[in-house]
Amino acid sequence: MDFMADRLAVRRQFRLLNVLDDCNREGLGIEVDFWLPAERVVRALNQIIEWPGKPWAIRIDNGPEYVSPTLVTWAWKQGIALTCIQPGKPQQNACVEPDNRTVRHKWQNLFATIEEAQQIATEWLWTCNNERLNVGIGGVTPAMKLKMAA
């Protein structure tokens, strides 16, 4: 998982939390809001693991959001390792970084409201999982890859 930042048309900054599955490049969640504290990250992760189940580990960078006692305690209670990449080595989070870059290039419009940004994020997540072919997994969508694995 990884954080990004963007701005509304009125110049107010907001944050995005992207959560992807490394194995099939499926977007598991994208949270968008002005403030994404550790409690909100934990809530999002709880929602995400309801369906596919718990991962063994979550790869993260060294941001302050990830060293929060709230997140660390949650991961420990869930039996999930928080695996930090080395500082200054975003290539070690190789699946989420290209997704972040794609979001930056595709979302070239300025959002008027946070609700608009949240709606576009939800639509983007669905499109990436169900319509956008991903060369990293053989030129199929994550949804197709999941069906082939079943």
Side-chain angles (χ1 to χ4, degrees):
M1 66 183 173
D2 197 19
F3 281 93
M4 293 177 52
D6 203 344
R7 292 191 182 276
L8 298 176
V10 295
R11 307 300 300 156
R12 185 165 180 198
Q13 185 170 325
F14 64 92
R15 307 223 35 216
L16 300 97
L17 171 67
N18 295 323
V19 183
L20 279 88
D21 183 322
D22 279 358
C23 296
N24 62 17
R25 308 289 172 91
E26 178 185 16
L28 300 174
I30 184 166
E31 290 290 310
V32 178
D33 216 329
F34 294 119
W35 191 46
L36 294 171
E39 293 80 9
R40 177 80 179 267
V41 172
V42 165
R43 186 176 77 200
L45 292 173
N46 278 328
Q47 291 172 343
I48 289 168
I49 66 174
E50 281 180 12
W51 177 70
K54 296 177 195 174
W56 293 333
I58 299 174
R59 185 176 303 121
I60 57 176
D61 62 26
N62 295 287
E65 303 89 353
Y66 300 128
V67 295
S68 155
T70 302
L71 182 62
V72 172
T73 300
W74 173 85
W76 179 79
K77 286 180 179 177
Q78 295 291 330
I80 299 171
L82 295 177
T83 307
C84 294
I85 65 171
Q86 292 174 304
K89 304 260 184 183
Q91 66 274 18
Q92 291 179 349
N93 211 358
C95 289
V96 77
E97 290 299 336
D99 187 67
N100 288 350
R101 184 180 61 243
T102 302
V103 166
R104 282 186 200 99
H105 290 289
K106 297 287 184 182
W107 294 14
Q108 301 248 332
N109 57 329
L110 291 174
F111 306 108
T113 65
I114 194 68
E115 293 80 15
E116 182 183 0
Q118 290 165 337
Q119 180 62 37
I120 296 295
T122 300
E123 292 169 6
W124 174 255
L125 188 62
W126 192 91
T127 299
C128 285
N129 287 336
N130 296 285
E131 294 178 354
R132 190 171 155 259
L133 301 178
N134 190 313
V135 295
I137 54 172
V140 298
T141 68
M144 290 175 183
K145 177 106 176 161
L146 285 170
K147 283 181 186 174
M148 290 187 291

